[in-house]
Amino acid sequence: MTPRQKQDPVPGEVARRVPDGPYELTVTVARDKRLRTSARWSLNGDTIAVRVPASIRREQLDTLLDDIVAHVLKQRMRARRQHDDDLEQRAQAINRRYFEGELSWHTIRWVSNMARRLGSCTSGGSTDGDIRISDRIRAWPDFVIDYVIAHELAHRKYPHHGSDFWAYLARYPHLDRARGFIEGVAYGSGADPDSLI
């Protein structure tokens, strides 16, 4: 092989390291014989895992990776521009106090476009680790806002509402009181409390 030739990555091998503001993303590639024409990718934490058809040519792979990386970087830069520093400090304090500092996320911010839900946390995709909190709860009691933040943080470890998730979230000491408040708000508006969070 001459120095100018590019060699295909071994399955799961790191194909690139990409600067992303204060972060560095790792791009891994795995060839998958089950894929015929399209690729699949996911972003989890700081790793973009790409699965490609086994027959993809190196030039196609390079173009595909360029496109995926550009998409991810654009989405992450947009999220960082909207990031809320005060909310970040609050989330960091909750993470340290109740979750031993073991959770990580990309951004956290207030949003005004959540009509029903109180918060959301994305898992996978170009917005992996972006937490959004509805700004309609800004005037709610601190223990309820902290509960909503803790709830979304806990989704970084458990992206579902199974028993493991609730056991983990129970580290937040005002869980029952906060859920009672939310149930009261839901009752007053005729909503299902479980649909709010």
Side-chain angles (χ1 to χ4, degrees), residues 16 38-41 50-53 56 59-69:
R16 298 180 181 182
S38 60
R40 304 278 188 267
W41 65 271
V50 182
R51 291 185 307 121
V52 298
I56 194 169
E59 301 77 31
Q60 292 173 304
L61 178 60
D62 286 339
T63 300
L64 175 69
L65 294 181
D66 289 345
D67 292 345
I68 292 170
V69 166

Side-chain angles (χ1 to χ4, degrees), residues 98-100 102-103 147 150-151 154-155 157-158 160-173 175-176 179:
Y98 305 116
F99 304 115
E100 300 172 3
E102 69 181 9
L103 302 174
Y147 164 74
H151 184 108
H155 278 310
K157 184 165 184 167
Y158 299 103
H160 52 73
H161 284 125
S163 59
D164 291 341
F165 170 82
W166 290 109
Y168 188 68
L169 183 56
R171 295 177 179 192
Y172 179 68
L175 181 136
D176 291 333
R179 286 186 57 83

Side-chain angles (χ1 to χ4, degrees), residues 54-146:
S55 60
I56 194 169
R57 294 188 324 268
R58 181 61 201 213
E59 301 77 31
Q60 292 173 304
L61 178 60
D62 286 339
T63 300
L64 175 69
L65 294 181
D66 289 345
D67 292 345
I68 292 170
V69 166
H71 175 75
V72 169
L73 292 177
K74 179 180 177 184
Q75 291 293 325
R76 288 173 60 91
M77 184 182 301
R78 179 177 170 230
R80 283 196 300 274
R81 280 195 307 265
Q82 298 170 341
H83 182 75
D84 185 282
D85 290 332
D86 292 335
L87 206 50
E88 173 70 24
Q89 290 175 8
R90 194 169 183 168
Q92 289 290 352
I94 291 167
N95 184 33
R96 282 190 304 274
R97 188 167 188 183
Y98 305 116
F99 304 115
E100 300 172 3
E102 69 181 9
L103 302 174
S104 64
W105 55 94
H106 180 235
T107 63
I108 184 167
R109 68 186 186 270
W110 294 105
V111 296
S112 59
N113 63 351
M114 294 182 103
R116 277 186 337 126
R117 306 219 15 231
L118 306 178
S120 71
C121 178
T122 56
S123 182
S126 60
T127 58
D128 181 64
D130 288 337
I131 297 172
R132 301 178 311 138
I133 306 295
S134 173
D135 67 0
R136 67 190 167 116
I137 72 169
R138 279 186 190 246
W140 287 13
D142 284 344
F143 74 92
V144 180
I145 297 171
D146 286 351

Side-chain angles (χ1 to χ4, degrees), residues 179-196:
R179 286 186 57 83
F181 181 95
I182 292 169
E183 286 172 3
V185 169
Y187 178 79
S189 64
D192 173 15
D194 291 333
S195 71
L196 296 179

